Amino acid sequence: MPSPVTRALEIHLKSRPAGLPNLGNFERVETRLDPPQPGQALVRNLWISVDPYMRGRMVDRESYIPPFQLGQALDGAAVGIVEQSADPALKAGDLVVHFSSWRSHALIDAATAMKIEADAMGKIPVQAYLGALGFPGLTAYAGLRRIAKLQHGETMFVSAASGAVGSLVAQIAKLMGARVIATAGSDDKVRWLTNELCIDAAINYRDNPDLGAALAAVAPEGIDVYFDNAGGNHLEAALAAANPKARFILCGMISGYNTGSAPAGPANIFLAVEKRITLQGMLVSDHVDLMPDFLRDMSGWISDGHIKLRDTVVHGLEKAPEAFIGLFEGANVGKMLVRLG
Ligand code: NAP
């Protein structure tokens, strides 16, 4: 007897945000999914990831990734459990990472899913595959190791350091023997970075409008590497503090994601000429070849306690838009996740 259709809930993009997204830009829609066709599996989502890059996909423009379409479910990374499979590679009960998030259930192509094992020791929760063991972790790992080639004894500065990518950048850089300086948007976050993650110095950028002066005070010897997640005045402060031949990893510039118009360029960009600074943009998707090394190293660091995991968890699919908007308001410490069910 064929399996019955499955009732699913999805979050659709209802309208394109102007400035900071609001709840009215999203719509909760009930739908029905047919049983999987050959090559497909039906997955029930357990955890979904909300990420700042999704804001760029809400704009109808050509980019490195297609824009979200109005009236359709948003997507992104998720961890789910297979309920039905019509592909020999997956069976009911398997845990998978896949890219049909923002919905309770999804029909996925089995070939595009990554099967994961629940950690028998209980040290690595499955949702880590959306954070430290997922793209945020790979971004940090590839940026520091492959692009910056961070060296023991160097000084590294990272912005948005209490978030998913930033907190991993900070911790990996410490493991690589660097002196680490960080910024975050509250005193609690600064305390977490210095007391729990043992970061050398952290600045609450909201309390320090003259970020250049605050950075110079904690980095009198200058910085050798800057991992940019914020752009704007963070990038200007880093240019001012940079040592000759410093390397900048341009990973993200969240301060400009909701401005609606192109932000002013760094006023002091000519320092990049004078100091012969390397400014290198990065996209994590260029570095998936590092996945085996990354998974081996990162699982080891988590298991032996060298990397600490922290999530901010919002419960219920209908709260996904709220979780997403919270990224731009500093509502998260560590990885922002939505737990379903
Ligand atoms: P996240 O850091 O976990 O969350 C975003 C954080 O940004 C918030 O917690 C907030 O913390 C901070 N923030 C918000 N508005 C800010 C502003 N105006 N100035 C400075 N900080 C601000 O997010 P994530 O996923 O790890 O992403 C971090 C950055 O990396 C983003 O720019 C993202 O686009 C980028 N990224 C790039 C790649 C790639 O392949 N290039 C891959 C993943 C992520 P505060 O309280 O500190 O403000």
Side-chain angles (χ1 to χ4, degrees):
M1 201 171 92
S3 312
V5 292
T6 301
R7 195 177 145 266
L9 291 174
E10 300 182 339
I11 305 292
H12 289 197
L13 185 65
K14 188 176 173 196
S15 57
R16 298 197 182 279
L20 182 69
N22 61 64
L23 296 179
N25 296 128
F26 302 88
E27 187 173 30
R28 185 172 168 276
V29 174
E30 195 176 319
T31 184
R32 285 169 187 276
L33 299 175
D34 289 327
Q37 297 296 305
Q40 288 185 321
L42 175 73
V43 170
R44 177 167 58 83
N45 280 335
L46 304 174
W47 294 91
I48 69 172
S49 175
V50 288
D51 304 87
Y53 80 91
M54 293 170 172
R55 177 65 183 87
R57 297 189 67 191
M58 293 174 183
V59 180
D60 192 14
R61 66 178 167 103
E62 242 181 70
S63 182
Y64 66 95
I65 189 166
F68 292 129
Q69 296 303 311
L70 292 179
Q72 290 186 16
L74 297 120
D75 58 41
V79 167
I81 185 164
V82 174
E83 292 204 323
Q84 298 170 36
S85 177
D87 188 279
L90 294 177
K91 61 177 191 319
D94 283 346
L95 290 168
V96 287
V97 179
H98 64 94
F99 294 94
S100 296
S101 58
W102 295 80
R103 57 199 101 189
S104 64
H105 298 75
L107 277 174
I108 62 165
D109 286 336
T112 62
M114 183 179 95
K115 207 161 131 176
I116 54 177
E117 307 294 338
D119 172 30
M121 307 293 288
K123 288 190 175 169
I124 302 182
V126 290
Q127 67 271 28
Y129 285 88
L130 302 177
L133 284 169
F135 282 118
L138 182 60
T139 306
Y141 184 89
L144 289 176
R145 289 204 150 185
R146 176 178 272 171
I147 304 179
K149 298 189 175 60
L150 181 68
Q151 301 297 308
H152 194 277
E154 288 191 313
T155 298
M156 199 250 358
F157 171 45
V158 54
S159 49
S162 63
V165 172
S167 62
L168 295 163
V169 168
Q171 293 183 82
I172 296 172
K174 283 304 295 175
L175 286 173
M176 292 172 79
R179 176 163 193 268
V180 176
I181 295 169
T183 57
S186 74
D187 289 343
D188 279 350
K189 290 180 176 187
V190 161
R191 269 192 292 277
W192 178 62
L193 287 165
T194 50
N195 297 348
E196 303 285 322
L197 302 190
C198 303
I199 300 316
D200 299 279
I203 300 164
N204 177 349
Y205 71 90
R206 291 188 204 272
D207 275 358
N208 285 281
D210 187 350
L211 197 50
L215 182 57
V218 293
E221 311 287 319
I223 60 168
D224 304 300
V225 169
Y226 173 46
F227 200 110
D228 192 16
N229 291 315
N233 65 339
H234 275 87
L235 182 52
E236 285 186 354
L239 283 162
N243 288 327
K245 302 205 172 164
R247 292 94 71 205
F248 282 28
I249 301 126
L250 306 182
C251 171
M253 299 191 179
I254 194 167
S255 67
Y257 291 0
N258 294 306
T259 51
S261 57
N268 58 353
I269 189 67
F270 194 71
L271 287 174
V273 179
E274 292 180 359
K275 299 182 181 185
R276 288 89 74 210
I277 297 169
T278 303
L279 303 164
Q280 170 81 60
M282 79 164 289
L283 284 178
V284 64
S285 48
D286 288 342
H287 302 283
V288 284
D289 61 297
L290 288 178
M291 200 52 111
D293 286 353
F294 158 68
L295 287 174
R296 182 203 58 227
D297 289 348
M298 186 59 89
S299 340
W301 292 332
I302 297 170
S303 297
D304 64 21
H306 283 115
I307 293 275
K308 292 185 179 151
L309 303 182
R310 185 153 173 189
D311 302 328
T312 297
V313 179
V314 169
H315 293 267
L317 180 67
E318 65 285 358
K319 292 281 169 58
E322 205 173 295
F324 171 69
I325 294 165
L327 291 169
F328 304 102
E329 298 169 331
N332 58 311
V333 184
K335 179 76 191 100
M336 181 69 101
L337 292 170
V338 183
R339 182 171 198 165
L340 276 60

